[in-house]
Amino acid sequence: MELEKILFKHFGYQNFKTGQKEVILSILQGCHTIAMLPTGTGKSLCYQLPGYCLEGQILIISPLLSLMQDQVEQLMKFGEKRVVAINSFLSNEEKWNVLKNLTRYKYIFISPEMLSAPAIMNKLQTLQISLFVVDEAHCISQWGFDFRPDYLKLGEYREKLGNPLTLALTATATKKVREDIVQSLNLHKFNRIESTIDRPNIAFYVEEVSDYRNKQDRLMEYVKLLQKPGIIYFSSKKAAEQMAALLIEKGISKTMAYHAGLEQEQRILIQQQFIHDQLDVICATSAFGMGVNKENVRFVIHFHMPMQMESYLQEIGRAGRDGKPSIAILMYSPGDEQLPLQLAEGELPSRQQIDWLFNHFPRAEDTNLVDVSTYLPLRDTSGFSETQWRITEDFISNHHRYSSLEYLKQEIIDFADERLTVKRNNILKLKKWIEAKSCRRELILHHFDEKTENIAKPIDCCDICGIQLDHFKALEPVTFKPEDEWSWRDYLAKILLNSELRQ
Ligand SMILES: [Zn+2]
């Protein structure tokens, strides 16, 4: 059957988006494939569709539970029932039930840490895995902005599964990161499919303001002026909440704050209201966006500076998925880089924290080696943040077998130093981009090692090339019709029902 027919039959689309067909053809020809497709182009389809052409199972490794859940829902929405996610959401009993009946599923989503469990690996080894998918593959690289130590072992797991046909997907990877992906997965021969990350319908605008107060005033003006809906990103929950309250006070009533501190139910509600055009503005932290497939977002404003170019690109990529003109505004006041620098430091254990931990480390009686089972209770008294503890624990569990205590301690210190340097450099690179005096679009493309000699710049390219803010102005205020009111309670009930059915 023609690919377009399969696309229409199972997914209801008439045409492929950029890059999708090339990736799918490459897989169906039996070639390992590393694909870099821009945000909003439907990367998931690149493994969803081959599932209908290949025998056996599609195994998808996904780094985030929320993302995994979203991908499962997405397939179910298309009517596919043979989908399962093996992750820490499952109770032991549910897990064994799923494992017992694994051959019933076509699409198996799994977190990398689950792959390390021998019982699960044994079971997976009995399957015929026709495609091994690494989603968000940039997490493999230490140079990737979202490095996950668990991802480092994927090459080893892939080998245990008999080196199946492999697809590595990412939206944001520099050349160095892409090289790391290929090396880690041990792909000797592969197809590389890279479509440009450029989104010509998104204009870039950087606004330098003198101070916080001034920034706040300018933000108000932008939100009043610009065509909505839009997303405003903040680096702190508090700032997101304060600004949402201020916007409501100033008459932008359909505004909500969204961050990881809200209850799950509340988060789903806000997300769904935004998707269904019942909200105009979301004041969010980076917790918002993954899995929000909304086509008509007209602006993304960054009130604070992001941690690196990769996440900036991912966040502004939520604008203009319908292809219509949209704008990305980054607001900067002198010294703004201090906040991400502090955040970066807070993500890694400090020298003092590591010292403390090792001073309190229980030693195994007759050896200087670490008995990992004994230090876990220290977690509660250590004062480590969740991220700091996760990184430390990952490191210890990956390295303790080979190291003496003193050596291990030095290794963690070096590791944390190195990561912090990478993070600091990323922030400074973004600051350079903010201060740049040449085309912002070209600089972003250069960052991802793309050539720019032949790109056709849009009329509204960036503040350096010249831009007409009028083109992004609201034509008329959006009015909210009561008959459009959409019941989120029904939606929640449906989700709960679905998750019950899955169990
Ligand atoms: Zn430009």
Side-chain angles (χ1 to χ4, degrees):
M1 212 197 296
E2 258 182 70
L3 285 182
E4 276 78 5
K5 282 187 183 155
I6 303 175
L7 178 70
F8 187 71
K9 184 179 167 201
H10 293 283
F11 304 95
Y13 302 128
Q14 302 274 10
N15 299 303
F16 286 102
K17 289 189 181 175
T18 320
Q20 285 177 332
K21 192 170 178 183
E22 289 88 328
V23 176
I24 293 168
L25 281 172
S26 165
I27 292 162
L28 295 180
Q29 282 158 4
C31 303
H32 301 312
T33 305
I34 159 163
M36 183 159 133
L37 302 180
T39 48
T41 45
K43 280 185 286 139
S44 317
L45 192 91
C46 298
Y47 61 78
Q48 288 169 343
L49 191 144
Y52 294 103
C53 309
L54 300 168
E55 304 253 321
Q57 275 87 14
I58 313 282
L59 184 70
I60 306 115
I61 292 96
S62 187
L64 284 175
L65 293 180
S66 56
L67 185 64
M68 207 186 282
Q69 242 13 61
D70 181 65
Q71 286 158 337
V72 169
E73 303 266 341
Q74 207 186 40
L75 270 166
M76 286 184 155
K77 226 167 59 193
F78 289 126
E80 179 56 64
K81 293 192 180 63
R82 299 166 299 164
V83 193
V84 71
I86 307 176
N87 56 36
S88 53
F89 277 168
L90 296 179
S91 68
N92 266 341
E93 199 188 331
E94 287 165 344
K95 213 183 310 165
W96 292 124
N97 250 329
V98 169
L99 287 178
K100 225 164 49 194
N101 300 305
L102 214 47
T103 49
R104 283 194 202 159
Y105 300 101
K106 180 82 198 180
Y107 299 91
I108 302 169
F109 291 83
I110 193 160
S111 56
E113 67 272 13
M114 284 286 159
L115 280 171
S116 66
I120 294 180
M121 180 50 83
N122 286 343
K123 204 74 199 173
L124 290 172
Q125 281 169 326
T126 66
L127 298 178
Q128 182 198 346
I129 292 169
S130 50
L131 188 61
F132 181 87
V133 183
V134 183
D135 201 7
E136 309 293 337
H138 53 264
C139 298
I140 285 183
S141 172
Q142 298 227 32
W143 311 107
F145 69 101
D146 209 5
F147 169 57
R148 313 263 155 159
D150 283 329
Y151 259 54
L152 278 180
K153 290 193 184 145
L154 290 185
E156 190 186 316
Y157 300 144
R158 185 177 166 266
E159 200 183 331
K160 281 187 182 164
L161 293 168
N163 297 317
L165 181 62
T166 297
L167 167 64
L169 285 168
T170 177
T172 41
T174 58
K175 201 168 155 200
K176 202 169 175 188
V177 170
R178 277 173 267 162
E179 282 164 6
D180 264 6
I181 295 172
V182 169
Q183 207 181 18
S184 296
L185 290 174
N186 218 355
L187 303 177
H188 297 297
K189 251 178 109 181
F190 58 92
N191 275 344
R192 189 197 296 271
I193 294 168
E194 287 160 9
S195 72
T196 175
I197 50 147
D198 189 25
R199 301 268 309 276
N201 65 317
I202 302 179
F204 296 97
Y205 199 87
V206 173
E207 166 131 0
E208 288 203 39
V209 289
S210 54
D211 54 26
Y212 190 86
R213 186 62 202 263
N214 199 231
K215 202 196 239 184
Q216 197 169 301
D217 293 345
R218 289 295 289 150
L219 177 71
M220 293 297 144
E221 286 165 27
Y222 276 128
V223 178
K224 276 189 186 158
L225 173 92
L226 293 172
Q227 170 95 40
K228 289 168 248 322
I231 307 170
I232 311 168
Y233 278 106
F234 299 86
S235 296
S236 83
K237 296 173 194 171
K238 208 171 135 197
E241 281 192 344
Q242 281 175 346
M243 216 55 77
L246 199 62
L247 280 168
I248 293 169
E249 200 186 296
K250 300 274 178 193
I252 318 282
S253 58
K254 287 189 270 168
T255 300
M256 279 292 233
Y258 182 105
H259 51 74
L262 299 174
E263 293 287 330
Q264 173 84 349
E265 190 174 295
Q266 184 76 3
R267 281 162 62 174
I268 295 175
L269 164 66
I270 295 169
Q271 198 170 307
Q272 293 304 320
Q273 284 182 322
F274 186 62
I275 289 173
H276 289 82
D277 291 330
Q278 294 181 357
L279 288 173
D280 284 341
V281 179
I282 295 279
C283 294
T285 61
S286 58
F288 182 77
M290 200 73 95
V292 177
N293 289 313
K294 185 172 170 64
E295 300 261 290
N296 64 339
V297 175
R298 295 275 71 90
F299 69 80
V300 172
I301 298 177
H302 280 80
F303 190 80
H304 290 130
M305 204 178 135
M307 305 280 281
Q308 65 278 306
M309 191 60 91
E310 284 81 352
S311 47
Y312 181 60
L313 201 70
Q314 222 164 39
E315 285 164 1
I316 64 165
R318 288 171 188 137
R321 294 196 173 180
D322 53 9
K324 292 182 186 162
S326 310
I327 187 165
I329 300 176
L330 194 151
M331 309 187 84
Y332 177 84
S333 59
D336 271 6
E337 60 280 4
Q338 292 311 319
L339 185 61
L341 285 170
Q342 278 168 17
L343 290 172
E345 275 173 27
E347 284 175 4
L348 292 158
S350 68
R351 177 82 201 235
Q352 288 88 331
Q353 285 175 309
I354 297 170
D355 276 340
W356 181 92
L357 183 69
F358 277 76
N359 285 337
H360 289 78
F361 230 103
R363 282 163 197 261
E365 265 173 26
D366 51 351
T367 156
N368 196 25
L369 289 180
V370 180
D371 181 355
V372 274
S373 60
T374 54
Y375 79 96
L376 290 174
L378 290 176
R379 179 186 187 143
D380 297 334
T381 44
S382 66
F384 280 50
S385 72
E386 210 181 303
T387 320
Q388 286 169 336
W389 186 265
R390 182 170 55 78
I391 287 170
T392 310
E393 196 183 329
D394 275 341
F395 197 92
I396 293 176
S397 61
N398 285 329
H399 292 78
H400 73 96
R401 288 178 208 91
Y402 319 107
S403 311
S404 72
L405 209 53
E406 270 315 303
Y407 191 67
L408 183 67
K409 179 175 157 187
Q410 194 53 47
E411 276 187 318
I412 298 188
I413 291 171
D414 292 347
F415 172 78
D417 276 353
E418 202 182 287
R419 290 298 303 154
L420 191 58
T421 310
V422 171
K423 280 170 188 276
R424 278 191 187 131
N425 285 339
N426 286 341
I427 295 164
L428 296 178
K429 264 188 215 159
L430 190 59
K431 190 179 173 230
K432 253 190 167 160
W433 179 80
I434 291 169
E435 292 166 342
K437 297 283 173 265
S438 63
C439 175
R440 303 200 184 276
R441 186 175 307 274
E442 283 186 0
L443 290 174
I444 290 185
L445 294 173
H446 290 165
H447 178 85
F448 291 99
D449 307 289
E450 277 195 42
K451 293 201 170 62
T452 50
E453 289 89 47
N454 299 319
I455 64 157
K457 285 190 202 168
I459 299 170
D460 287 311
C461 176
C462 66
D463 54 299
I464 307 285
C465 296
I467 190 174
Q468 287 272 338
L469 277 177
D470 275 1
H471 292 168
F472 304 93
K473 246 162 104 174
L475 299 174
E476 50 187 314
V478 189
T479 46
F480 176 44
K481 296 185 223 103
E483 64 264 28
D484 290 343
E485 199 159 343
W486 170 86
S487 164
W488 64 272
R489 285 187 197 282
D490 288 353
Y491 179 82
L492 277 183
K494 229 189 279 168
I495 292 182
L496 294 174
L497 184 69
N498 271 340
S499 62
E500 269 165 30
L501 286 179
R502 273 204 299 281
Q503 290 164 15

